[in-house]
Amino acid sequence: MTNSNNTTATYSLRDLILYFLKLGSLGFGGPVALTGYMHRDLVEKRNWISEEDYKEGLALAQLAPGPLAAQLGIYMGYVHYGVAGATLAGLAFVLPSFLIVVALGYIYITWEGIPLMQSVFYGVAAAVIGIIAMSAYKLTKKSIANDKILISIYLVVVAYTVWKESEEILLFLGAGIIYWLLKAPPQKISFSKNVIKSFSVPLLLNTSVQTSGKTLGQILLYFTKAGAMVFGSGLAIVPFLYGGVVKEYGWLNEQEFMDAVAVAMITPGPVVITVGFIGFLVAGFPGACVAAFATFFPSYLFTILPAPYFRKYGKHRGIKAFVDGVTAAAIGAISGAVIVLGKRSLIDLNTIGIALLAALVLWRFKKVPEPVIILVAALAGILLR
């Protein structure tokens, strides 16, 4: 099977599905680490995806609202297998972690909270910082190289992310435009009206209806809004969810919400999957299914609708320069997020030590699987707390 650029896939759709099932089951560390794993596995090790296609996917995922890693995974599926590949890759990536958080939700309700989780999170959160720091380092080294303009863009976005503790869509757009103007001055490109439609259709999902009670309809509307409006990595959705789930609707109290965030950090797959845990606490298994579907569906549309045009025009010199600029900004935001998360997770000498050891092990022993590091860190957290 071939993609729109007529390059033949060197792997089957089954291979792709199995890879994303494995990544969704064993990929710890949140969006920073997951995007790094995809680059390492799909671009460097297996040569399934080209560097250019990866950069296009990362740029699109960063520009569109929704969870970064999930959108990148969907785009990776689209590259050679179109909508079918995008759909199945996305489902394979999200399903394992969804089942895990639903199981944890059941245990949480049955046992009235998970005190042990705080001890596990103490160690795991620190190890995650070490893992994502190494992922950010590898992405930076690979994509920024020695280009002074890209280095400047990267540093500006790192500084902004650390300062504001958030990601700004205008920075990504500005970075792309600046690099485009400097490297490939504008030439006429005939975009069809369908390109505009492809970006505007998902905006119809931005619906806000005030209702009362814990109804599935209310969950559907609220989480659709969350999935359609929040830019940046999956971590960016956390403050948005806090405002609605705790403050506006009172579905969860403060402790329950923090436990939901902890669950997202200690489970593999996209951090946004915490919506499944929240949905389960609010309205059982149906609530978990509706919350997860509502959150991921807008980002799925935001990926597959523009994808054909990204594929078609992505090799154009001006578009490529734009994508390179956005990619530098995206990696800057990822690197900045490591520092922001580190300030919250590395709270004493023990956690600093765990993070440094995790990074050192990954640097010296490249074949050590991340889940092994996570397991050791969880045990360390239990012993230390």
mmCIF file of all heavy atoms in Angstrom, residues 211 213-214 218 222 241-254 256-257 278 281-282:
data_model
loop_
_atom_site.group_PDB
_atom_site.id
_atom_site.type_symbol
_atom_site.label_atom_id
_atom_site.label_comp_id
_atom_site.label_asym_id
_atom_site.label_seq_id
_atom_site.Cartn_x
_atom_site.Cartn_y
_atom_site.Cartn_z
ATOM 1 N N THR A 211 -25.767 22.315 31.483
ATOM 2 C CA THR A 211 -26.810 21.415 31.955
ATOM 3 C C THR A 211 -26.517 21.091 33.402
ATOM 4 O O THR A 211 -25.525 21.546 33.954
ATOM 5 C CB THR A 211 -26.844 20.110 31.132
ATOM 6 O OG1 THR A 211 -25.542 19.493 31.225
ATOM 7 C CG2 THR A 211 -27.172 20.371 29.688
ATOM 8 N N GLY A 213 -26.451 17.939 36.613
ATOM 9 C CA GLY A 213 -26.430 16.518 36.861
ATOM 10 C C GLY A 213 -25.305 15.821 36.123
ATOM 11 O O GLY A 213 -24.726 16.340 35.173
ATOM 12 N N LYS A 214 -25.033 14.601 36.574
ATOM 13 C CA LYS A 214 -23.936 13.828 36.004
ATOM 14 C C LYS A 214 -24.425 13.010 34.815
ATOM 15 O O LYS A 214 -24.398 11.793 34.805
ATOM 16 C CB LYS A 214 -23.335 12.923 37.078
ATOM 17 C CG LYS A 214 -22.724 13.684 38.248
ATOM 18 C CD LYS A 214 -22.222 12.713 39.304
ATOM 19 C CE LYS A 214 -21.643 13.452 40.491
ATOM 20 N NZ LYS A 214 -21.184 12.538 41.549
ATOM 21 N N GLN A 218 -23.821 15.587 29.284
ATOM 22 C CA GLN A 218 -23.006 16.669 29.839
ATOM 23 C C GLN A 218 -21.519 16.324 29.761
ATOM 24 O O GLN A 218 -20.689 17.174 29.409
ATOM 25 C CB GLN A 218 -23.407 16.900 31.297
ATOM 26 C CG GLN A 218 -22.764 18.110 31.945
ATOM 27 C CD GLN A 218 -23.192 18.257 33.388
ATOM 28 O OE1 GLN A 218 -23.565 17.281 34.040
ATOM 29 N NE2 GLN A 218 -23.135 19.465 33.900
ATOM 30 N N TYR A 222 -18.757 18.470 27.634
ATOM 31 C CA TYR A 222 -17.637 19.094 28.340
ATOM 32 C C TYR A 222 -16.296 18.573 27.836
ATOM 33 O O TYR A 222 -15.370 19.351 27.572
ATOM 34 C CB TYR A 222 -17.746 18.866 29.853
ATOM 35 C CG TYR A 222 -16.551 19.437 30.578
ATOM 36 C CD1 TYR A 222 -16.400 20.821 30.708
ATOM 37 C CD2 TYR A 222 -15.540 18.616 31.063
ATOM 38 C CE1 TYR A 222 -15.285 21.362 31.319
ATOM 39 C CE2 TYR A 222 -14.417 19.151 31.675
ATOM 40 C CZ TYR A 222 -14.300 20.529 31.801
ATOM 41 O OH TYR A 222 -13.187 21.067 32.395
ATOM 42 N N LEU A 241 -9.148 20.899 32.849
ATOM 43 C CA LEU A 241 -10.031 19.926 33.490
ATOM 44 C C LEU A 241 -10.311 20.308 34.947
ATOM 45 O O LEU A 241 -11.427 20.139 35.432
ATOM 46 C CB LEU A 241 -9.403 18.526 33.443
ATOM 47 C CG LEU A 241 -9.304 17.862 32.068
ATOM 48 C CD1 LEU A 241 -8.626 16.509 32.188
ATOM 49 C CD2 LEU A 241 -10.673 17.719 31.426
ATOM 50 N N TYR A 242 -9.298 20.823 35.617
ATOM 51 C CA TYR A 242 -9.480 21.230 37.020
ATOM 52 C C TYR A 242 -10.582 22.280 37.128
ATOM 53 O O TYR A 242 -11.455 22.203 38.005
ATOM 54 C CB TYR A 242 -8.167 21.780 37.573
ATOM 55 C CG TYR A 242 -8.285 22.305 38.995
ATOM 56 C CD1 TYR A 242 -8.241 21.429 40.079
ATOM 57 C CD2 TYR A 242 -8.440 23.665 39.244
ATOM 58 C CE1 TYR A 242 -8.353 21.904 41.374
ATOM 59 C CE2 TYR A 242 -8.553 24.154 40.534
ATOM 60 C CZ TYR A 242 -8.505 23.269 41.595
ATOM 61 O OH TYR A 242 -8.627 23.738 42.881
ATOM 62 N N GLY A 243 -10.554 23.253 36.211
ATOM 63 C CA GLY A 243 -11.550 24.318 36.238
ATOM 64 C C GLY A 243 -12.966 23.804 36.057
ATOM 65 O O GLY A 243 -13.906 24.335 36.660
ATOM 66 N N GLY A 244 -13.153 22.771 35.235
ATOM 67 C CA GLY A 244 -14.498 22.257 34.988
ATOM 68 C C GLY A 244 -14.901 21.160 35.940
ATOM 69 O O GLY A 244 -15.967 21.197 36.556
ATOM 70 N N VAL A 245 -14.041 20.156 36.083
ATOM 71 C CA VAL A 245 -14.369 18.959 36.861
ATOM 72 C C VAL A 245 -14.492 19.260 38.351
ATOM 73 O O VAL A 245 -15.386 18.748 39.029
ATOM 74 C CB VAL A 245 -13.303 17.868 36.618
ATOM 75 C CG1 VAL A 245 -13.485 16.700 37.581
ATOM 76 C CG2 VAL A 245 -13.358 17.386 35.179
ATOM 77 N N VAL A 246 -13.610 20.130 38.865
ATOM 78 C CA VAL A 246 -13.612 20.438 40.301
ATOM 79 C C VAL A 246 -14.395 21.723 40.594
ATOM 80 O O VAL A 246 -15.313 21.729 41.421
ATOM 81 C CB VAL A 246 -12.165 20.571 40.829
ATOM 82 C CG1 VAL A 246 -12.173 20.936 42.320
ATOM 83 C CG2 VAL A 246 -11.393 19.280 40.603
ATOM 84 N N LYS A 247 -14.032 22.807 39.904
ATOM 85 C CA LYS A 247 -14.590 24.115 40.235
ATOM 86 C C LYS A 247 -16.015 24.326 39.706
ATOM 87 O O LYS A 247 -16.896 24.784 40.426
ATOM 88 C CB LYS A 247 -13.668 25.226 39.698
ATOM 89 C CG LYS A 247 -12.308 25.282 40.360
ATOM 90 C CD LYS A 247 -12.429 25.661 41.825
ATOM 91 C CE LYS A 247 -11.060 25.848 42.457
ATOM 92 N NZ LYS A 247 -11.159 26.169 43.904
ATOM 93 N N GLU A 248 -16.231 24.016 38.414
ATOM 94 C CA GLU A 248 -17.511 24.349 37.792
ATOM 95 C C GLU A 248 -18.605 23.336 38.118
ATOM 96 O O GLU A 248 -19.696 23.696 38.557
ATOM 97 C CB GLU A 248 -17.331 24.447 36.271
ATOM 98 C CG GLU A 248 -18.590 24.900 35.540
ATOM 99 C CD GLU A 248 -18.371 25.070 34.054
ATOM 100 O OE1 GLU A 248 -17.205 24.963 33.594
ATOM 101 O OE2 GLU A 248 -19.359 25.292 33.338
ATOM 102 N N TYR A 249 -18.305 22.052 37.926
ATOM 103 C CA TYR A 249 -19.348 21.031 38.100
ATOM 104 C C TYR A 249 -19.267 20.300 39.435
ATOM 105 O O TYR A 249 -20.244 19.690 39.859
ATOM 106 C CB TYR A 249 -19.267 20.009 36.961
ATOM 107 C CG TYR A 249 -19.572 20.594 35.611
ATOM 108 C CD1 TYR A 249 -18.571 20.730 34.653
ATOM 109 C CD2 TYR A 249 -20.855 21.016 35.286
ATOM 110 C CE1 TYR A 249 -18.842 21.279 33.403
ATOM 111 C CE2 TYR A 249 -21.145 21.558 34.040
ATOM 112 C CZ TYR A 249 -20.134 21.691 33.104
ATOM 113 O OH TYR A 249 -20.406 22.238 31.875
ATOM 114 N N GLY A 250 -18.108 20.333 40.090
ATOM 115 C CA GLY A 250 -17.967 19.659 41.372
ATOM 116 C C GLY A 250 -18.089 18.150 41.279
ATOM 117 O O GLY A 250 -18.519 17.497 42.234
ATOM 118 N N TRP A 251 -17.707 17.577 40.138
ATOM 119 C CA TRP A 251 -17.778 16.128 39.976
ATOM 120 C C TRP A 251 -16.792 15.423 40.905
ATOM 121 O O TRP A 251 -17.061 14.368 41.438
ATOM 122 C CB TRP A 251 -17.473 15.732 38.531
ATOM 123 C CG TRP A 251 -18.593 16.023 37.575
ATOM 124 C CD1 TRP A 251 -19.919 16.113 37.872
ATOM 125 C CD2 TRP A 251 -18.484 16.265 36.167
ATOM 126 N NE1 TRP A 251 -20.649 16.390 36.732
ATOM 127 C CE2 TRP A 251 -19.790 16.479 35.676
ATOM 128 C CE3 TRP A 251 -17.415 16.309 35.278
ATOM 129 C CZ2 TRP A 251 -20.050 16.736 34.336
ATOM 130 C CZ3 TRP A 251 -17.669 16.557 33.939
ATOM 131 C CH2 TRP A 251 -18.979 16.778 33.470
ATOM 132 N N LEU A 252 -15.584 16.015 41.059
ATOM 133 C CA LEU A 252 -14.555 15.452 41.927
ATOM 134 C C LEU A 252 -14.090 16.509 42.922
ATOM 135 O O LEU A 252 -14.178 17.708 42.638
ATOM 136 C CB LEU A 252 -13.335 14.988 41.107
ATOM 137 C CG LEU A 252 -13.545 13.970 39.978
ATOM 138 C CD1 LEU A 252 -12.200 13.621 39.344
ATOM 139 C CD2 LEU A 252 -14.255 12.727 40.464
ATOM 140 N N ASN A 253 -13.602 16.055 44.083
ATOM 141 C CA ASN A 253 -12.992 17.011 45.002
ATOM 142 C C ASN A 253 -11.502 17.153 44.665
ATOM 143 O O ASN A 253 -10.989 16.482 43.772
ATOM 144 C CB ASN A 253 -13.205 16.591 46.468
ATOM 145 C CG ASN A 253 -12.602 15.222 46.774
ATOM 146 O OD1 ASN A 253 -11.536 14.861 46.253
ATOM 147 N ND2 ASN A 253 -13.277 14.447 47.621
ATOM 148 N N GLU A 254 -10.821 18.029 45.384
ATOM 149 C CA GLU A 254 -9.417 18.322 45.088
ATOM 150 C C GLU A 254 -8.545 17.061 45.133
ATOM 151 O O GLU A 254 -7.728 16.828 44.240
ATOM 152 C CB GLU A 254 -8.865 19.347 46.094
ATOM 153 C CG GLU A 254 -9.546 20.695 46.060
ATOM 154 C CD GLU A 254 -8.795 21.693 45.192
ATOM 155 O OE1 GLU A 254 -7.719 21.329 44.693
ATOM 156 O OE2 GLU A 254 -9.288 22.814 45.018
ATOM 157 N N GLU A 256 -9.389 13.864 44.880
ATOM 158 C CA GLU A 256 -9.734 12.924 43.806
ATOM 159 C C GLU A 256 -9.127 13.373 42.475
ATOM 160 O O GLU A 256 -8.637 12.555 41.692
ATOM 161 C CB GLU A 256 -11.252 12.799 43.681
ATOM 162 C CG GLU A 256 -11.905 12.040 44.824
ATOM 163 C CD GLU A 256 -13.420 12.150 44.808
ATOM 164 O OE1 GLU A 256 -13.939 13.139 44.229
ATOM 165 O OE2 GLU A 256 -14.085 11.260 45.381
ATOM 166 N N PHE A 257 -9.152 14.677 42.234
ATOM 167 C CA PHE A 257 -8.589 15.178 40.986
ATOM 168 C C PHE A 257 -7.078 14.983 40.949
ATOM 169 O O PHE A 257 -6.520 14.574 39.922
ATOM 170 C CB PHE A 257 -8.916 16.668 40.804
ATOM 171 C CG PHE A 257 -8.428 17.224 39.489
ATOM 172 C CD1 PHE A 257 -9.131 16.991 38.322
ATOM 173 C CD2 PHE A 257 -7.246 17.956 39.427
ATOM 174 C CE1 PHE A 257 -8.673 17.483 37.102
ATOM 175 C CE2 PHE A 257 -6.780 18.448 38.218
ATOM 176 C CZ PHE A 257 -7.499 18.211 37.047
ATOM 177 N N ILE A 278 -11.328 9.908 35.238
ATOM 178 C CA ILE A 278 -12.296 10.891 35.733
ATOM 179 C C ILE A 278 -13.715 10.497 35.339
ATOM 180 O O ILE A 278 -14.638 10.533 36.161
ATOM 181 C CB ILE A 278 -11.957 12.299 35.184
ATOM 182 C CG1 ILE A 278 -10.634 12.796 35.779
ATOM 183 C CG2 ILE A 278 -13.082 13.290 35.491
ATOM 184 C CD1 ILE A 278 -10.095 14.061 35.132
ATOM 185 N N LEU A 281 -14.995 7.716 37.530
ATOM 186 C CA LEU A 281 -15.394 8.163 38.870
ATOM 187 C C LEU A 281 -16.736 8.890 38.831
ATOM 188 O O LEU A 281 -17.524 8.823 39.780
ATOM 189 C CB LEU A 281 -14.329 9.087 39.472
ATOM 190 C CG LEU A 281 -12.936 8.504 39.733
ATOM 191 C CD1 LEU A 281 -12.102 9.474 40.564
ATOM 192 C CD2 LEU A 281 -13.001 7.151 40.416
ATOM 193 N N VAL A 282 -16.996 9.604 37.732
ATOM 194 C CA VAL A 282 -18.225 10.396 37.631
ATOM 195 C C VAL A 282 -19.430 9.531 37.264
ATOM 196 O O VAL A 282 -20.498 9.663 37.859
ATOM 197 C CB VAL A 282 -18.056 11.525 36.589
ATOM 198 C CG1 VAL A 282 -19.370 12.281 36.391
ATOM 199 C CG2 VAL A 282 -16.960 12.481 37.015
#
